[in-house]
Amino acid sequence: MIEIDDPADPRLDDFRDLSTADRRPDRPGGRGLVIAEGVVVVERLLDSPYPVRALLGVRRRVEALGALPAPAYVTSAEVMAEVVGFHLNRGVLAVADRAPQSDLAGLVASSRRLAVLEGVGDHENLGSLFRNAAALGIDGVLLGPGCSDPLYRRSVRVSMGHVLRVPFASLPDLAEGFDLLRHNGFTVAALTPRADATGLADAGLRGRKVAVLLGSEGPGLTEETIAAADVAVRIPMAGGVDSLNVATAAAIAFYAIA
Amino acid sequence: MIEIDDPADPRLDDFRDLSTADRRPDRPGGRGLVIAEGVVVVERLLDSPYPVRALLGVRRRVEALGALPAPAYVTSAEVMAEVVGFHLNRGVLAVADRAPQSDLAGLVASSRRLAVLEGVGDHENLGSLFRNAAALGIDGVLLGPGCSDPLYRRSVRVSMGHVLRVPFASLPDLAEGFDLLRHNGFTVAALTPRADATGLADAGLRGRKVAVLLGSEGPGLTEETIAAADVAVRIPMAGGVDSLNVATAAAIAFYAIA
């Protein structure tokens, strides 16, 4: 633990201006570091494969964390606010380098239940979806075209740190991905509000290897993607209600296939 | 439609300083008017029993609404922002008076599936829960001790206006409420992450009259409340994961009893 009281101290540069920290032209791919906010999420980061670079917090919060693999800068809430650019009521932060994504073929081969996403661009929805995946026993998430970055600061926070625990891999070509999934014994089930889809409970998915295919809130899955799946399933919904939030719909589907 | 270009026009007073509009000492109970933001939510307000007082919007959004029961003030996005106190990217607002809550005994008598909440004080969680209730066929929501006001502006917005459609009633005394529910043939099922609770799918709830009892995120239901329910049920969860968001857990329970 290293006490710092000068907000301009260069050792705090990783924590500076967090509201713009997701874009770092100086970093590989122009993407920011992984940032964990609050004790619970910081603990998940410390348990993750991401190499922690440093921590910053008020003494009480840092001390609550136990043994640390990197320097922990201890300061006041006021200095923290000045460094990060806004008042932070969680009292502790950690930053880590990114790590390579899971290998797609390896992740598929070692999983029984997967989520496959198309066009989930909203960082909060993506974070919530990872939290629900972790709680409901999903082994991994495949990120199809149009998905945003799960390691964005807001996604990490909304996921309660579960983006750091649930493996994910990019799936740039959905058709190739479906072939890989089928080769590994998966049924690809597209979740859609379409009236001609099979009710989730009637599709015989429970106990099978299932990849649940989910689209963004609003437009949902493309017609082409639904047609390429093995089965289209729907959550029975009351008349006149627009579809559920994508993370909520995902949670129901994850529960139904568990 | 009445054109207004002066942000100080007193006809716009109902729309002024929306970030503090939930507290109105001049109104009955000190609570604010019902405020709907955006075309979808305004349409739900227009379809609701709440008496609309006025609308405010840019011409394009107001024209999209069709016939209106109250004066619609048309102005620029800049004047709107000045009146409400922040930039609003939804382009139309409506305000309505509050209306009496549903009669508790009547709501219970006419329902088959209800949600009963204890200590759900977070306005966003409450709004999400109403949205999920509407989508998944819940007939009404009973608000036990410690719940916040579903007509708070943020709840209305997060619910996508469904707090204006799903009937709700206050339930100040849970024990009396459970008696009323049982008298009407309901099984009271407490949702809890406790390991000794029955799995949701194994509790035989599907097709019965069920009141799902839900506590706040974090502390959850009190021990006393769980003990007073007819059955304690849980969502099977992966090890090491803190419980789901209350609105998400509610959605899974609503799905499971449908």
Side-chain angles (χ1 to χ4, degrees):
Chain A
M1 289 209 273
I2 300 153
E3 301 241 13
I4 291 189
D5 56 11
D6 175 10
D9 192 308
R11 289 173 292 179
L12 304 184
D13 283 355
D14 279 351
F15 300 96
R16 218 167 286 290
D17 284 329
L18 286 194
S19 60
T20 60
D22 285 314
R23 287 189 195 80
R24 290 278 300 264
D26 58 316
R27 308 272 319 158
R31 291 180 155 182
L33 299 165
V34 180
I35 295 168
E37 301 165 73
V39 170
V40 170
V41 181
V42 168
E43 284 174 341
R44 295 220 165 98
L45 180 64
L46 294 170
D47 283 340
S48 79
Y50 296 90
V52 176
R53 293 160 63 98
L55 296 96
L56 171 65
V58 298
R59 177 169 293 277
R60 187 167 64 91
R61 296 291 185 209
V62 174
E63 282 179 348
L65 292 169
L68 297 174
Y73 303 113
V74 170
T75 190
S76 66
E78 292 69 33
V79 170
M80 276 185 79
E82 198 167 335
V83 173
V84 306
F86 50 86
H87 179 72
L88 210 105
N89 54 14
R90 292 163 200 260
V92 65
L93 293 165
V95 292
D97 282 308
R98 288 173 173 252
Q101 285 190 9
S102 299
D103 166 62
L104 175 63
L107 179 56
V108 171
S110 63
S111 298
R112 288 197 53 82
R113 285 185 291 269
L114 292 165
V116 184
L117 312 185
E118 181 186 43
V120 178
D122 180 277
H123 291 108
E124 294 201 15
N125 284 344
L126 192 60
S128 299
L129 199 149
F130 269 82
R131 178 181 177 186
N132 298 343
L136 296 161
I138 295 297
D139 300 313
V141 177
L142 309 187
L143 302 164
C147 291
S148 57
D149 174 13
L151 297 179
Y152 226 71
R153 185 171 68 93
R154 186 185 295 265
S155 292
V156 175
R157 188 177 67 227
V158 172
S159 82
M160 306 281 284
H162 290 299
V163 294
L164 309 171
R165 295 176 77 228
V166 177
F168 60 87
S170 285
L171 190 63
D173 185 312
L174 283 181
E176 278 179 27
F178 293 176
D179 287 344
L180 176 67
L181 286 162
R182 288 186 189 113
H183 183 74
N184 281 270
F186 278 85
T187 300
V188 179
L191 191 67
T192 165
R194 272 175 28 176
D196 62 348
T198 306
L200 190 50
D202 305 322
L205 298 175
R206 197 177 282 268
R208 277 157 68 181
K209 289 175 81 168
V210 178
V212 181
L213 185 53
L214 298 148
S216 72
E217 202 167 334
L221 293 167
T222 60
E223 288 298 312
E224 190 186 355
T225 299
I226 295 173
D230 297 313
V231 58
V233 293
R234 67 182 169 79
I235 297 167
M237 273 194 256
V241 175
D242 48 351
S243 61
L244 294 161
N245 170 285
V246 60
T248 306
I252 291 174
F254 299 160
Y255 167 80
I257 65 168
Chain B
M1 289 209 273
I2 300 154
E3 301 242 12
I4 291 189
D5 55 11
D6 175 10
D9 192 308
R11 290 173 292 179
L12 303 185
D13 284 354
D14 279 351
F15 301 95
R16 218 168 286 290
D17 284 329
L18 286 194
S19 60
T20 61
D22 285 314
R23 286 189 195 80
R24 288 278 300 263
D26 57 315
R27 308 272 318 158
R31 291 179 156 183
L33 298 165
V34 180
I35 295 169
E37 301 165 73
V39 170
V40 170
V41 181
V42 168
E43 285 174 340
R44 295 217 166 101
L45 180 64
L46 294 171
D47 283 340
S48 79
Y50 296 89
V52 176
R53 293 160 63 98
L55 296 97
L56 170 66
V58 299
R59 176 168 293 278
R60 188 166 63 92
R61 295 292 185 210
V62 174
E63 283 178 348
L65 292 169
L68 298 174
Y73 303 112
V74 170
T75 189
S76 67
E78 292 70 30
V79 170
M80 276 185 81
E82 200 167 334
V83 173
V84 305
F86 50 86
H87 179 72
L88 211 105
N89 54 14
R90 293 162 199 261
V92 66
L93 293 165
V95 293
D97 283 306
R98 286 174 175 252
Q101 284 189 12
S102 299
D103 167 62
L104 174 63
L107 178 55
V108 171
S110 63
S111 297
R112 287 196 55 81
R113 284 186 291 268
L114 292 165
V116 184
L117 312 185
E118 181 186 42
V120 179
D122 181 277
H123 291 108
E124 294 201 16
N125 283 345
L126 192 61
S128 298
L129 199 150
F130 269 83
R131 179 182 177 185
N132 297 344
L136 296 162
I138 295 298
D139 300 313
V141 177
L142 309 187
L143 301 164
C147 291
S148 57
D149 173 13
L151 298 179
Y152 225 71
R153 185 171 68 93
R154 186 186 295 265
S155 292
V156 175
R157 187 178 66 229
V158 172
S159 82
M160 307 281 284
H162 290 299
V163 294
L164 310 172
R165 295 176 77 226
V166 178
F168 60 88
S170 285
L171 189 64
D173 186 312
L174 283 181
E176 278 179 29
F178 293 178
D179 286 345
L180 176 68
L181 287 162
R182 290 187 187 112
H183 183 74
N184 281 270
F186 278 85
T187 300
V188 179
L191 192 67
T192 166
R194 273 175 28 174
D196 62 348
T198 307
L200 190 52
D202 305 321
L205 298 175
R206 198 176 282 267
R208 277 158 68 182
K209 289 173 83 167
V210 178
V212 181
L213 185 53
L214 298 148
S216 72
E217 203 166 333
L221 293 168
T222 60
E223 288 298 313
E224 190 187 353
T225 299
I226 294 173
D230 297 314
V231 59
V233 293
R234 68 182 170 79
I235 298 167
M237 274 196 254
V241 174
D242 49 348
S243 61
L244 294 161
N245 169 285
V246 60
T248 307
I252 291 173
F254 298 160
Y255 168 79
I257 66 168

